[in-house]
Amino acid sequence: MKLEIARGLFFAAALGVTAVAAAAWQEPGPRVLDARDCSTAPCPIAPVRKQVQTELEPDANLLLLMFGLQAAMKGEQ
């Protein structure tokens, strides 16, 4: 088989694989969601949950990190 024929067949096979991959890849396009969309079907947007802010106490690891960063910045000056 000549090189030109083999190259042509390879090119045709590569185009075929690319066409099949492009046809199989179905990514939905951007669209605006209405209230009607959520009333007839399950809403694709998860409900936003309010997180309760609890009082945070710094632990030893955080204090050690802050001390290490402060010491490192003093060394750069």
Side-chain angles (χ1 to χ4, degrees), residues 22-56:
W25 183 21
Q26 297 176 359
E27 184 174 325
R31 62 185 182 97
V32 177
L33 294 176
D34 289 336
R36 291 175 291 182
D37 294 338
C38 293
S39 65
T40 58
C43 191
I45 299 174
V48 178
R49 296 181 185 167
K50 291 184 179 180
Q51 295 180 352
V52 178
Q53 183 70 20
T54 59
E55 189 173 326
L56 298 177

Side-chain angles (χ1 to χ4, degrees), residues 1-33:
M1 183 183 300
K2 290 188 174 183
L3 183 61
E4 293 84 13
I5 295 172
R7 189 177 294 164
L9 288 175
F10 177 74
F11 184 69
L15 282 178
V17 168
T18 304
V20 169
W25 183 21
Q26 297 176 359
E27 184 174 325
R31 62 185 182 97
V32 177
L33 294 176

Side-chain angles (χ1 to χ4, degrees), residues 57-68:
E57 297 179 13
D59 59 345
N61 291 333
L62 179 61
L63 293 175
L64 184 61
L65 173 69
M66 295 299 289
F67 178 73

